[in-house]
Amino acid sequence: MQRIGYIVVPDFQVMVFAGISVFEFANQTGAGGPHYDIHLLSEHGGPVRSSLGYSVMTEPLDDSHFDTIVVSSVIGVAPAGPAVTGFLQKSMRSARRVASMCTGAFALAQAGILDDRRATTHWAYARALQASYPKVKVEEDRIFIIDGMVWTSAGMSAGMDLALAMVEKDLGAEIARLVAKKLVVFHRRAGGQLQHSALLELDAKTDRIQSALVYAKNNLHTALTVDQLADAANLSPRQFSRAFRAETGQSPAKAVENLRVEAARLMMEQGRHAIDVVARETGFADRERMRRAFLRAFGQPPQVIRRNSRAQIESPLHAPEASA
């Protein structure tokens, strides 16, 4: 049976229990289970208060061996104590994998575990992680990332995707599917999936502007002029441009570019289309225009994003973790 230790700190975010539930239900699938022995850990043991005010009992950090260590998160960022940092560094030599949920990535970074590794965290704190720990290769829009024996996830529900990916790695895709079904969630999202949607980010307030955005998303392969979008919104071009900026905070041209970038990235991550084909199908017309848009949006050209996505999809769940 694999021992999994979840490290919690005062005011830990209670979504940690969503990830624990994945392992709980994996134990109930039969197939030779139970498979996991779950332990809540803290610096000194005893009761630890959660973000909702109630406490849970924990075991102290000691020399016990764990197959997997997961650092939970708090709402915001809090420095890890020296005992936690030392335990994490020791775990890199003794555990099979070390992971973090949400802002727990800061504890891994503080311990030096994320140096020169790809990692993610909640999108709201990703740039702070990068600024505080420049050696970390932060990818702020990923659901989860696996780099060798180190696993990091985005915030909130992404901890369930991380745990489901671990179950799939340990017990196979069918068991992970059964667990997801029992938890009434979609089968785990791929680690490379974006944390948020450009369409949701625009947050149109009225049906007219929302209709124009839906029209744009469905017709990205066309030129998409302001006149076309205004017609979809049943407004004059001048009224449309003014209302669009007031509701979304962006110009129509910038919003369309963001929708094109999102669609192009998904095409590259979910298929093997040539870059020129992706550019044409998403309305960029040529690969150079798409490259410039990707640099503005992600700071990386399309080829780098495709290479990272393929490495994430093809290797981590079906190959042994690399040794540290």
Side-chain angles (χ1 to χ4, degrees):
M1 186 181 299
Q2 299 177 24
R3 302 181 77 230
I4 299 181
Y6 273 81
I7 299 177
V8 297
V9 296
D11 297 319
F12 71 91
Q13 215 289 316
V14 295
M15 276 296 290
V16 64
F17 295 116
I20 291 176
S21 293
V22 170
F23 298 112
E24 176 188 8
F25 277 81
N27 281 342
Q28 299 174 12
T29 58
H35 308 283
Y36 299 104
D37 180 21
I38 308 297
H39 298 258
L40 287 179
L41 309 174
S42 68
E43 186 169 2
H44 303 294
V48 176
R49 184 182 175 90
S50 73
S51 58
L52 285 179
Y54 58 79
S55 296
V56 297
M57 290 301 297
T58 65
E59 304 168 30
L61 299 177
D62 56 23
D63 293 330
S64 298
H65 173 77
F66 292 90
D67 175 86
T68 300
I69 292 293
V70 183
V71 185
S72 65
S73 64
V74 296
I75 299 176
V77 178
V84 172
T85 299
F87 182 83
L88 290 172
Q89 291 169 339
K90 182 182 67 176
S91 295
M92 287 295 291
R93 299 187 295 270
S94 60
R96 181 165 61 100
R97 58 194 171 202
V98 174
S100 65
M101 293 175 56
C102 194
T103 56
F106 282 81
L108 297 188
Q110 185 179 329
I113 290 169
L114 298 184
D115 286 359
D116 301 317
R117 292 185 187 270
R118 297 171 56 236
T120 194
T121 187
H122 192 291
W123 61 266
Y125 300 100
R127 295 189 181 182
L129 179 64
Q130 186 68 85
S132 300
Y133 302 97
K135 291 184 179 180
V136 182
K137 301 173 183 177
V138 178
E139 297 184 21
E140 65 182 77
D141 56 354
R142 297 296 184 173
I143 296 296
F144 64 86
I145 287 176
I146 306 169
D147 191 325
M149 65 180 290
V150 179
W151 302 47
T152 54
S153 81
M156 307 305 174
S157 61
M160 295 184 72
D161 298 292
L162 184 79
L164 282 166
M166 289 180 176
V167 169
E168 182 174 334
K169 172 70 176 177
D170 298 340
L171 306 176
E174 180 60 19
I175 297 296
R177 186 191 67 79
L178 289 174
V179 171
K181 185 176 181 180
K182 285 187 176 182
L183 291 170
V184 197
V185 298
F186 291 110
H187 189 34
R188 69 165 185 84
R189 294 172 290 178
Q193 187 169 329
L194 302 180
Q195 287 191 32
H196 50 268
S197 160
L199 199 60
L200 291 176
E201 191 86 357
L202 290 166
D203 192 25
K205 305 296 189 299
T206 64
D207 289 343
R208 287 186 172 188
I209 300 303
Q210 185 64 36
S211 294
L213 287 169
V214 171
Y215 175 85
K217 188 173 178 63
N218 292 335
N219 293 275
L220 290 176
H221 60 286
T222 68
L224 287 177
T225 65
V226 171
D227 286 350
Q228 287 176 293
L229 297 176
D231 186 61
N234 199 25
L235 293 168
S236 71
R238 185 173 181 179
Q239 287 176 314
F240 171 75
S241 294
R242 185 168 58 247
F244 191 94
R245 186 178 286 277
E247 291 192 27
T248 68
Q250 297 182 18
S251 69
K254 183 62 177 176
V256 168
E257 179 178 286
N258 289 339
L259 290 172
R260 293 193 200 282
V261 164
E262 180 175 272
R265 181 167 185 167
L266 286 173
M267 278 189 71
M268 289 192 302
E269 292 178 342
Q270 296 176 357
R272 294 186 177 274
H273 304 287
I275 297 292
D276 289 331
V277 172
V278 174
R280 184 172 63 251
E281 291 296 315
T282 55
F284 282 110
D286 62 70
R287 63 190 299 160
E288 178 56 26
R289 286 181 60 190
M290 188 170 77
R291 187 187 73 84
R292 293 197 299 267
F294 268 62
L295 289 173
R296 285 190 292 271
F298 307 121
Q300 295 177 322
Q303 293 88 341
V304 172
I305 288 176
R306 164 169 275 176
R307 183 167 63 247
N308 289 342
S309 175
R310 285 181 176 174
Q312 180 81 359
I313 292 171
E314 293 173 358
S315 63
L317 296 185
H318 305 287
E321 288 92 340
S323 59

